Amino acid sequence: MGLHRVRGKIDPLDDVFSMPLSERVLPKRRVPDGESDPRSAFEAVRAELRLDGESAQNLATFCTTYSSAEVRELMALCLDKNMIDKDEYPQTAEIEARCVRMLADLWNCAADDTVGCSTTGSSEAAMLGGLALKWRWRKARRAAGRPADRPNLVCGPVQVCWEKFCRYFDVEMRQIPLEKGATGLRPHQLADHVDENTIGVVAILGVTYTCDYEPVAEIAAELDRLQARTGLDVPIHVDAASGGFVAPFLQPNLVWDFRVNRVASINASGHKYGMAPLGVGWAVWASAEMLPEELVFDVSYLGGDMPTFALNFSRPGGEIIAQYYTLLRLGREGYRKIAQANADTARYLAERIKAMGPFELLYDGQGALPAVSYKLREGARFSLYDLSEQLRTRGWQVPSYPLPPDRDDTTIQRVLVRHGVGKDEISLLADDMERALRRIPDGGTGAPRRPGFHH
Ligand SMILES: *Cc1c(COP(=O)(O)O)cnc(C)c1O
């Protein structure tokens, strides 16, 4: 039966829940023929949204789940701003350029011809970073009269966006197996995998599996030695999706960024520890020379031309504005204080988890991202999937998932502490974990071994 509204039949005095739409099962396959009252349509959609999890209780995500009233207001103000239209919204374009300069500066870029752009997130930024590596490698190979048809990218346990990059853009992904006890790529592993067809090495600041940083400076030093031996000059792209907005504040002395000469480009997610709302990432190159000009398109801008490098065309400008607001509002001191509070909470959780007994910490929240990762000790009487299921009954999303393919016999859990996730909330989570441990019978509850969504 359609939802056709008979004209004149709606009484404006009707309660929302006695309006025609509210008295029906909502259409799911066919656009309804008639219109509905906006309030009843709104309530119907809102009711469905309640079935989603509570984002603040999703401890698997790195992404922003807390936004201030000011951010919400700016987002509403920018609802109609299309960031690609530099001509119509020159000030949004200017604000985007300011963010790029601020991030290049935050990541210690000394060049004054740094280039960069906003993206929809780190995934798009990774595609752009990877494409720039591929183009530069190919140009150099052709100039040297060498074949340029078998590019490869060398990396450790990367986020899925790098697998996508390699598949979509025809690059062989050389993923180095995770060594036993390691939380990421170890520099001595590189020599066996890098060759003349390597377009670059990806180093991760905040490995998605374990939340630890890969040692960028040591990776660069190893590549320096390789160059001295073989003449191969292999650039590094740092995927600092989360760490790009953590390390400068929590570990200012850690050298991972443009201070390392070999670092050609860096990406970060504004919508993770950058604390902007969902939908913004950043890519920055050490200098204009690192970004091949063939990849850059000109769009008209105030009568002139504005270079753009992006996979998308139309995209909302609000997230960029909110990113600028957040940088302005918090400043370095504000980011540092929040990062420190998160790290303190992560340390507290690590201590609670350690004291519970059955867990072995893989990463205790100190030295890298404010997060904790752990696995079950040998001979545990239940599985982490059982624990995930128990926690889910209280709304907590703490998924279990296997380590990368070569270590996938090990299942781990990971809890991210981020803006808006306070110490009290984490103490309640720990209480619920203890309660769950008492409740899970020997042999477990047989929860399906379905890896949860992780980023
Ligand atoms: C989250 C993440 C990505 C993907 O970033 P999005 O902003 O979600 O597209 C890539 N790499 C790492 C290391 C990440 O943590």
Side-chain angles (χ1 to χ4, degrees), residues 62-63 119-126 157-162 203-208 239-243 267-272 278-281 369 414 455:
F62 295 84
C63 292
T119 60
T120 50
S122 278
S123 301
E124 186 188 4
V158 282
Q159 207 262 0
V160 67
C161 69
W162 291 101
I204 317 249
L205 213 65
V207 174
T208 38
D239 177 357
S242 342
N267 71 267
S269 298
H271 58 215
K272 291 186 177 176
L278 276 174
V280 66
L369 298 182
R414 186 194 63 185
H455 298 245

Side-chain angles (χ1 to χ4, degrees), residues 102-301:
M102 284 181 172
L103 292 179
D105 177 61
L106 187 66
W107 300 332
N108 294 292
C109 183
D112 22 283
D113 67 338
T114 175
V115 286
C117 55
S118 70
T119 60
T120 50
S122 278
S123 301
E124 186 188 4
M127 304 297 146
L128 303 184
L131 281 170
L133 292 178
K134 182 177 172 183
W135 252 249
R136 280 182 59 225
W137 168 84
R138 195 163 62 187
K139 219 185 210 172
R141 294 285 290 174
R142 284 181 179 155
R146 309 277 297 152
D149 55 343
R150 302 190 55 198
N152 69 66
L153 181 78
V154 171
C155 59
V158 282
Q159 207 262 0
V160 67
C161 69
W162 291 101
E163 288 172 46
K164 276 191 184 171
F165 164 73
C166 287
R167 201 175 304 170
Y168 293 175
F169 296 105
D170 249 330
V171 173
E172 177 201 346
M173 182 158 120
R174 291 200 179 158
Q175 192 166 23
I176 302 180
L178 199 55
E179 281 188 349
K180 207 160 173 52
T183 51
L185 175 66
R186 285 181 169 164
H188 75 89
Q189 296 180 289
L190 284 168
D192 288 343
H193 297 85
V194 171
D195 62 22
E196 59 179 2
N197 289 319
T198 302
I199 63 172
V201 169
V202 173
I204 317 249
L205 213 65
V207 174
T208 38
Y209 295 92
T210 57
C211 302
D212 205 357
Y213 295 158
E214 288 182 336
V216 181
E218 286 82 356
I219 287 171
E222 179 63 23
L223 292 172
D224 289 347
R225 286 190 285 276
L226 188 91
Q227 183 172 10
R229 264 199 327 272
T230 64
L232 297 175
D233 183 6
V234 180
I236 295 174
H237 174 94
V238 183
D239 177 357
S242 342
F245 284 98
V246 174
F249 309 112
L250 265 193
Q251 297 96 12
N253 296 324
L254 181 74
V255 177
W256 65 273
D257 50 18
F258 291 119
R259 284 170 286 183
V260 179
N261 274 334
R262 208 169 271 286
V263 171
S265 43
I266 297 174
N267 71 267
S269 298
H271 58 215
K272 291 186 177 176
Y273 288 94
M275 292 183 256
L278 276 174
V280 66
W282 301 95
V284 177
W285 286 265
S287 66
E289 183 204 340
M290 297 291 167
L291 178 57
E293 57 194 16
E294 298 88 334
L295 291 171
V296 177
F297 287 77
D298 283 334
V299 299
S300 72
Y301 171 57

